[in-house]
Amino acid sequence: DGGITQSPKYLFRKEGQNVTLSCEQNLNHDAMYWYRQDPGQGLRLIYYSQIVNDFQKGDIAEGYSVSREKKESFPLTVTSAQKNPTAFYLCASSMLATQYFGPGTRLTVL
Amino acid sequence: GNSVTQMEGPVTLSEEAFLTINCTYTATGYPSLFWYVQYPGEGLQLLLKATKADDKGSNKGFEATYRKETTSFHLEKGSVQVSDSAVYFCALEISNFGNEKLTFGTGTRLTIIP
């Protein structure tokens, strides 16, 4: 089955700890994206990558970092510098100008 | 800049009612327009899209027509079901030399009661 997987579905961390969210796709898409969703709000772009070994900041990149060492993988690290990390994080990939989303990871920082 | 304005929710309808969720946009250039649906606790699923003026996107009984003159892309369904209860997002994308970024509306929560 082709698709986008995100793991884990729920993640809990203590304040001050870095945490890495996984995103994998087997759709052979070049572009991948990370979004943050807060309750009652739309999605905001954190980082995106058009090709391997290249990525750009989105609208709210502060306190986050990414890597794109392989075409199928685009992990997101939420660092201790992110002031309000508790949110629902969504990964997407795109082909032919249409984005497809993974199931999301809900991060709660205690 | 680019922006999307959606009808504020929540919207509550009875089963078999007619649905309209309004969406208008502001964009520089010629955007593609999308509707995504999010069921509780899940990611977004592409519902339908339209890439140029007067195109109609349709899927699962939902329709939306790209109206350039009114800068709108309203979502409609003739007879809603309980299973349509979800949050609906309107979005636009302007491709810029392969640099594709979506701009989302804030979402409209739809609840269908039996």
Side-chain angles (χ1 to χ4, degrees):
Chain A
D1 277 344
I4 303 171
T5 56
Q6 292 186 245
S7 60
K9 190 170 177 65
Y10 299 96
L11 191 54
F12 297 89
R13 279 295 182 268
K14 292 184 179 179
E15 196 171 340
Q17 289 182 333
N18 291 356
V19 60
T20 297
L21 282 60
S22 166
C23 177
E24 304 277 332
Q25 54 100 0
N26 61 4
L27 300 168
N28 200 34
H29 289 174
D30 287 318
M32 297 186 74
Y33 307 78
W34 274 105
Y35 293 90
R36 170 183 172 135
Q37 185 180 25
D38 293 286
Q41 296 189 31
L43 278 68
R44 293 183 290 170
L45 182 65
I46 304 172
Y47 267 97
Y48 62 102
S49 167
Q50 299 292 326
I51 56 172
V52 174
N53 292 323
D54 187 46
F55 48 83
Q56 287 79 41
K57 292 181 179 180
D59 302 319
I60 56 164
E62 185 175 351
Y64 299 97
S65 66
V66 293
S67 63
R68 186 85 187 278
E69 296 176 1
K70 299 185 294 182
K71 187 176 186 177
E72 57 270 23
S73 178
F74 190 41
L76 173 75
T77 297
V78 184
T79 75
S80 56
Q82 168 50 234
K83 294 192 173 18
N84 296 297
T86 294
F88 190 48
Y89 290 87
L90 287 158
C91 178
S93 66
S94 74
M95 177 72 113
L96 299 176
T98 299
Q99 291 189 24
Y100 300 89
F101 286 79
T105 291
R106 187 166 298 281
L107 172 65
T108 302
V109 175
L110 306 170
Chain B
N2 302 325
S3 67
V4 175
T5 302
Q6 272 183 251
M7 175 176 174
E8 284 199 21
V11 174
T12 302
L13 296 172
S14 296
E15 204 166 20
E16 299 183 5
F18 184 87
L19 168 71
T20 300
I21 300 178
N22 289 339
C23 171
T24 57
Y25 67 90
T26 302
T28 53
Y30 301 96
S32 295
L33 301 172
F34 302 82
W35 277 101
Y36 284 88
V37 58
Q38 185 178 35
Y39 298 101
E42 298 185 9
L44 273 65
Q45 298 177 24
L46 177 65
L47 183 59
L48 53 85
K49 69 176 185 179
T51 56
K52 61 183 188 299
D54 299 325
D55 269 1
K56 178 186 284 188
S58 61
N59 186 25
K60 300 181 182 179
F62 291 90
E63 293 183 341
T65 301
Y66 188 149
R67 301 283 188 203
K68 187 179 176 185
E69 64 276 14
T70 54
T71 61
S72 65
F73 192 54
H74 304 321
L75 183 68
E76 297 181 335
K77 186 174 185 182
S79 176
V80 292
Q81 306 301 313
V82 171
S83 57
D84 294 327
S85 298
V87 180
Y88 292 81
F89 290 93
C90 184
L92 70 82
E93 180 180 83
I94 294 183
S95 287
N96 182 13
F97 299 103
N99 186 1
E100 298 146 357
K101 294 167 62 176
L102 279 171
T103 300
F104 285 90
T106 54
T108 302
R109 182 175 298 278
L110 173 67
T111 302
I112 307 302
I113 52 177

